[in-house]
Structures are given as structure tokens and as C-alpha cells.
Amino acid sequence: MSDLPLVGARRFEAYVRWSTYLAVSIPVGTLLRSAIEADRPTGGALAALVAAMVLSLVLFAGNALVANWSIDTLVGRERRLRTGGVVAWALVLVAFVAVTFLVPLPAMGLTVAAALGSAAASFVPVLDARRALLLNAAVVVVAVPFMGVGDIVQLLVGVAVISIVLGICWSSSWMLRVLLELQKAHEVRAELALANQRLRISRDLHDVFGRTLATIALKSSLASELVSRGHDERAARELGEVRRLAEEAGTEVRHVVRGELRTTWDSELAGARSLLESAGIRCTVTGDPVPEGRAEDLAWVVREGVTNVLRHSSAAKVTLATAVEGGQVHLTIANDGAGSEGSGEAGAGGGTGLRAMSERIGALGGEVTARRDGDWFLLDAMIPLPEEGTA
């Protein structure tokens, strides 16, 4: 998986932190601006101003710590916020508000509003939109008495300051939350893609090597029997065929891993006939020609069906019948070995191959069913024909 989404999220997280720190430092800036614009205070007024400046810096530090906790919680690194620290931070806020009344500077109501807004903004990253709006309204109600209802301009500016500070902090944290969700979705998509790739390889390996191994086992057994009867020349041919199959298996593995594995209806029919005849099983193919759009899909059904015949039955006859009707193509693979020992596994439909084949055909809107009819075992597959232009 690419690290770009993760790097982007970390960079934006850093931006959110520093923009939040800047927003919660407003009381310091407001107080400094008021001190610069006013006449130089002396005596008690100067002491009150110094105390207010110190408290504003301590308040900013507390705001930053709480904001840091909020953002950590937002990104999943939640840690405990100490109760004692929160109480001390709240007391600093109260002390700052109280001291501002002793400072003979203009627009101190705005400084109080900025202090209340910055403290509330520290918690905003962990709130949803409704709670953030309720907090905004609550802070405005608390701050109005400090700003005074007589000065409309100061009142409007104070309300705007509170709303802007909370809005900036909440909107940036909301964007970080969305980015984190997108990153998580990207990771889940990558994991699903990897799982699907593994499932495809597993399914294709089963489909390919199920028949290959069955063929190798059959021809090896035949070669052994021929040797025991003194037919060395025929046994050598069978062993040569086993070697050829083993070499082809290596090539097929590479095709499976690369996703290049393809099969055709004609090649599967030819292979099925040859394999069944090698095992002494008579194979009959009847029915309608298979449409090109579904030929490869049904070829996989033939491969799995014939492999199951060889593995789970002692059939003497196998019939492959196709029919195209009602916008569907049907394939039935029937063998007369349903009464043989070991055929029940295939008939139960519990084999891995049949389950994988059902999933493969089911993804195309079709279905695969297995049933018995007396001594016959039938594997039925149905797939809808592709729409015009989609084959």
C-alpha cells in the first residue's frame, strides 16, 4: 500500500494542531493590542496588566494542552486528561477574567470573550457539529454580560470572535476527520484487493491443478499397471506424458500468479475427452453450441466437473449436455458413478472446488447445483447470457 495517504494525513494533522494553537492564543494577542493602544499604566493598573499578561500566557499553555488532547483523541491516540490539570486550567481562566476588570484598558470585554472562546475551542475537535453549535451558543450567552449590551459594535465583534475561533477549530478538525476516514477506506480497499488477489490465486490453483494432479495420478497408475503387465513401451509413453504435464504445470503457475490464466471451451472439451478416455470412461458431448460470451466460464465448470468424476467416482460413462434457451446457457455434466464408494463427497456439494465454482458462477448471476438421479450424479450450471455489447 502507498504511504502517500498516511503522509498526507500526518501533514494535515500538524496543520490542524498549529492552526488550533494559533486560534486559542487569541486572548494573548487581544490583551497585547489593548496594552499597546492604551496610555502607559502605572501603579496598581500596571501590576494588574502584568498579572493579566502572565495569566493569559498560562491560559494559552492550558488551551494548547487541552487542544492537543482533543486532536490526539480525534486521530485515535486517546490518552487520559488529568482532572487536576483541567481544574487548574479552569481556575486560571476564572482568574484571568477577574484580573481583566482591574486593567483600565479599552475593549476588555472583547478580551474576556476571546478568552472564553479560546478555552471552548480547545474542546471543539472532539465534538460533532450539533454539540459544537451548542457550545458556541453557550459561550456567547456567558460572554454577553462581560461585553455589555450597550455597546452593540463591541457585542457583535465579540460574538463574531467567539464564533470564528470555534468555527476555525471545528472545521479544520472536521476536515482531518474526513481525511482519516478516507485513509482508512483506502487501507480497507487495499486489504480487500489483496484478499481478492489471494482468493483468485487460490481458486485458480485449485481449478488448474485439481485436474492436472488427477491426470498425473491416473497416468502414473496406468504406467505402473502397464509395467507390471510387461507393456514397457506403452508405460514409457505414459510416463513421458506425466513429465509433460509436470512441465506444463510450472508454466500454468506463472500464468496464475500473473493473472494471465485463460481457458477455452474447445480446449477443455478436448482435454476432458482425452482424460476420461485414458481412464476408460466413455465421454459423450451433446447439445447446442456454447455462446462465445460464456464459453470460458463454462469451460471452468467442465474442468471442475471432470476432475470430480475422476476423484470421487468410478464412472463408466460421462455426458456433457449444453442448452441455450430463455436468455440462459445450461450445462449438465452427468456420470453413472453416483453409487460408487467415495462419490458422496462430490454429491454433497461440500467440496472446496464446487464451492469455489458456485462463487465464480454466482458472481455472473448464475448458479451451480449438484444432485443425484438414481445411479447418476448430475452437476448443473446455469449462466445468463451477456447483454448485447457486454460479451
Side-chain angles (χ1 to χ4, degrees):
M1 184 188 68
S2 173
D3 291 331
L4 289 179
L6 182 59
V7 172
R10 287 175 176 170
R11 288 178 176 175
F12 194 76
E13 178 187 337
Y15 160 77
V16 171
R17 287 186 188 275
W18 287 103
S19 63
T20 303
Y21 297 157
L22 180 62
V24 299
S25 69
I26 286 181
V28 178
T30 305
L31 190 60
L32 282 174
R33 180 176 178 275
S34 298
I36 292 172
E37 292 181 350
D39 295 333
R40 180 177 299 179
T42 58
L46 178 59
L49 178 58
V50 172
M53 287 299 302
V54 173
L55 288 172
S56 69
L57 293 173
V58 176
L59 178 62
F60 164 66
N63 289 344
L65 290 174
V66 175
N68 197 52
W69 167 84
S70 299
I71 296 172
D72 282 346
T73 302
L74 174 64
V75 299
R77 294 193 293 270
E78 186 173 357
R79 52 190 175 82
R80 185 171 176 268
L81 188 61
R82 297 182 180 276
T83 304
V86 175
V87 172
W89 172 63
L91 291 176
V92 170
L93 175 62
V94 172
F96 176 77
V97 172
V99 168
T100 56
F101 288 101
L102 303 177
V103 180
L105 297 177
M108 290 308 294
L110 290 179
T111 302
V112 172
L116 295 173
S118 66
S122 303
F123 285 104
V124 161
V126 295
L127 302 180
D128 55 28
R130 185 178 65 86
R131 289 187 173 88
L133 288 174
L134 290 175
L135 179 61
N136 192 0
V139 173
V140 168
V141 170
V142 172
V144 164
F146 296 101
M147 293 183 291
V149 295
D151 191 340
I152 299 299
V153 174
Q154 178 175 268
L155 182 62
L156 292 177
V157 171
V159 172
V161 168
I162 293 172
S163 300
I164 290 173
V165 171
L166 269 68
I168 289 174
C169 293
W170 185 85
S171 60
S172 59
S173 62
W174 175 81
M175 287 188 286
L176 176 59
R177 186 180 290 110
V178 171
L179 182 59
L180 291 172
E181 290 175 356
L182 289 174
Q183 175 189 321
K184 184 177 180 180
H186 177 84
E187 293 173 351
V188 170
R189 185 179 65 178
E191 291 172 359
L192 288 175
L194 180 60
N196 286 334
Q197 182 76 344
R198 289 173 175 170
L199 180 61
R200 179 193 64 78
I201 293 175
S202 173
R203 182 190 63 195
D204 289 348
L205 285 175
H206 176 277
D207 292 344
V208 170
F209 292 105
R211 195 183 75 167
T212 300
L213 293 176
T215 305
I216 290 175
L218 175 66
K219 290 188 174 294
S220 299
S221 177
L222 178 59
S224 177
E225 184 67 21
L226 290 171
V227 169
S228 66
R229 295 184 181 184
H231 301 292
D232 296 341
E233 186 175 343
R234 283 193 60 194
R237 287 200 300 269
E238 294 298 332
L239 289 175
E241 185 68 11
V242 169
R243 177 180 178 181
R244 183 187 65 80
L245 289 170
E247 291 174 348
E248 287 182 354
T251 301
E252 289 176 332
V253 167
R254 290 190 290 272
H255 288 322
V256 167
V257 172
R258 296 171 185 167
E260 301 172 349
L261 184 64
R262 294 291 184 270
T263 187
T264 65
W265 174 255
D266 292 336
S267 65
E268 282 304 318
L269 281 185
R273 279 174 167 164
S274 175
L275 179 58
L276 291 171
E277 289 172 1
S278 297
I281 302 173
R282 183 159 53 89
C283 178
T284 304
V285 180
T286 63
D288 303 325
V290 176
E292 183 66 25
R294 291 301 184 221
E296 182 178 351
D297 303 315
L298 288 180
W300 286 111
V301 179
V302 170
R303 174 170 291 207
E304 179 61 30
V306 170
T307 300
N308 280 343
V309 170
L310 295 171
R311 283 181 170 179
H312 305 300
S313 76
S314 57
K317 293 186 294 184
V318 171
T319 300
L320 283 76
T322 57
V324 180
E325 56 184 5
Q328 299 174 339
V329 56
H330 298 261
L331 168 66
T332 300
I333 303 175
N335 72 82
D336 61 352
S340 65
E341 183 180 357
S343 63
E345 181 182 351
T352 302
L354 286 180
R355 285 198 300 270
M357 188 56 58
S358 296
E359 293 173 0
R360 184 195 290 266
I361 300 303
L364 302 172
E367 62 178 351
V368 176
T369 57
R371 57 190 172 91
R372 291 173 181 265
D373 185 3
D375 289 338
W376 285 80
F377 173 74
L378 298 93
L379 181 66
D380 297 312
M382 180 279 295
I383 311 179
L385 292 174
E387 298 179 1
E388 292 294 331
T390 63

